[in-house]
Amino acid sequence: MNTWRNASLAVTAAALLTLTTACGQEQGDASPNGQAVGNAAPAQQPADSGYGSAGGGYGSGADAGATEPKEAGQLAVQDNKKLGKVLTDSEGFTLYRFDKDTANPPKSACEGECAKVWPVVAAGNATAAAGTDADLLGEVSRADGTSQLTIDGWPMYRYAKDTAPGQVNGQGVGGTWFAAAPDGKKAAKNADSEGAAEPADPAGLSVRKDPELGDIVVDGRGMTVYRFTKDSAWPMKTACTGECLKKWPVVAPMAKNAVDGVTTKGFVTFDRPDGIKQQTIDCWPIYTFAGDAKPGDTNGQGVGGTWYAVSPDSKLVGAPK
């Protein structure tokens, strides 16, 4: 019995050590609050990555069972260097549109096996991404009676082969599936019009030199990123919930390759108690400010003596010592 007890204690100690060091590890490890972070799997994943012409680009080897459509939650916009602005759900997973659907009137052509590889996004609790037109959000009733989220009339889907936030593996599949832009158009640069490709957009997180604050972190739209002094990194907790999130939208999870010049230490996804997925830097939850109307604004700096811009190494900029 003593031998078993000693072994049990050793296993427990090893598990605790893993949790206490995970926040500084690569994305995909366990977070300090004991939850999975980063590379969370989507609702379904097909057994076969191929696609057939019969469904316009979905796999014939998909799992036989299907789960209930998953809600999008707080939508967000990520900047992809190849595709431009891409719409994501609250967990940072890319949303897609299907060329065989119609937007006027909204109608889905993806049913049965297709919906196993391209899980529909339930309308439910979807909230418009910061800086986007909330009037573009809508819903369409599917043949099975469920309500699917639409953006400017286009039904929204996820792709089961996207296994981590920020991935766009569904882009161009079958020549009919495309990542969705915030306005419901195709996210591929100039996909809806002719012309030369534009320069790549900035990374999901990058550094801007502010004339007063110095080097600060900005998101892919150039909007200032903030930290809240009432949050904590260990254990990872948030004090900004409910109404607070209307003024301080969370930064959605993203891949590390969407970061330029910003530390990726503790670059993990925070599973918030309200179900929203949030990006962290050095395990600190990060936000933008609804009062910043354009890139370069820093109106959130020092608000309430608790909100401050973030330096590239995750420190608070201009906070009292």
Side-chain angles (χ1 to χ4, degrees):
M1 291 297 291
N2 287 337
T3 300
W4 177 88
R5 182 174 182 274
N6 291 338
S8 177
L9 290 174
V11 170
T12 301
L16 179 60
L17 178 61
T18 299
L19 286 178
T20 57
T21 58
C23 195
Q25 302 302 317
E26 293 295 317
Q27 189 172 5
D29 293 338
S31 74
N33 57 11
Q35 297 171 308
V37 295
N39 299 331
Q44 304 98 6
Q45 185 168 351
D48 191 327
S49 61
Y51 50 86
S53 58
Y58 56 86
S60 58
D63 294 339
T67 62
E68 291 296 319
K70 186 177 180 181
E71 295 178 338
Q74 174 67 59
L75 300 178
V77 178
Q78 291 190 14
D79 281 88
N80 182 284
K81 292 183 178 180
K82 293 183 179 179
L83 303 182
K85 296 186 184 301
V86 172
L87 191 65
T88 72
D89 65 13
S90 63
E91 298 182 11
F93 283 91
T94 302
L95 301 188
Y96 296 89
R97 47 170 280 181
F98 186 29
D99 276 357
K100 294 191 177 183
D101 289 349
T102 59
N104 188 21
K107 186 176 181 181
S108 171
C110 181
E111 303 285 351
E113 292 297 309
C114 173
K116 296 175 184 177
V117 177
W118 301 93
V120 305
V121 179
N125 65 349
T127 305
T132 65
D133 186 357
D135 290 339
L136 294 180
L137 271 66
E139 58 185 81
V140 60
S141 182
R142 296 175 56 80
D144 61 5
T146 60
S147 293
Q148 183 174 5
L149 175 67
T150 63
I151 304 294
D152 197 25
W154 288 100
M156 292 289 109
Y157 308 82
R158 298 178 181 88
Y159 183 43
K161 294 295 287 184
D162 283 348
T163 57
Q167 291 184 348
V168 288
N169 297 319
Q171 176 66 16
V173 169
T176 54
W177 290 93
F178 296 91
D183 59 0
K185 294 183 172 59
K186 298 175 185 177
K189 290 181 182 296
N190 301 299
D192 291 326
S193 61
E194 298 180 356
E198 300 175 1
D201 284 349
L205 291 179
S206 58
V207 180
R208 183 179 72 82
K209 186 172 288 295
D210 185 85
E212 295 183 1
L213 302 178
D215 287 345
I216 59 174
V217 178
V218 296
D219 70 5
R221 299 169 297 142
M223 307 303 287
T224 303
V225 170
Y226 299 89
R227 270 181 45 194
F228 188 27
T229 60
K230 294 185 179 182
D231 288 350
S232 67
W234 183 263
M236 196 184 295
K237 292 182 179 180
T238 177
C240 182
T241 60
E243 291 297 313
C244 175
L245 292 178
K246 294 181 180 179
K247 292 184 178 180
W248 302 93
V250 307
V251 174
M254 65 190 71
K256 285 186 177 180
N257 60 9
V259 176
D260 183 13
V262 179
T263 182
T264 53
K265 176 184 176 183
F267 194 83
V268 296
T269 299
F270 175 29
D271 289 321
R272 295 167 51 93
D274 52 18
I276 297 173
K277 305 289 186 179
Q278 183 172 11
Q279 184 62 55
T280 69
I281 303 177
D282 200 14
C283 298
W284 287 98
I286 54 176
Y287 309 78
T288 55
F289 181 45
D292 287 344
K294 63 183 185 303
D297 283 352
T298 55
N299 298 318
Q301 177 67 7
V303 168
T306 54
W307 290 92
Y308 295 92
V310 183
S311 70
D313 59 355
S314 83
K315 299 296 189 297
L316 297 174
V317 175
K321 301 297 184 181

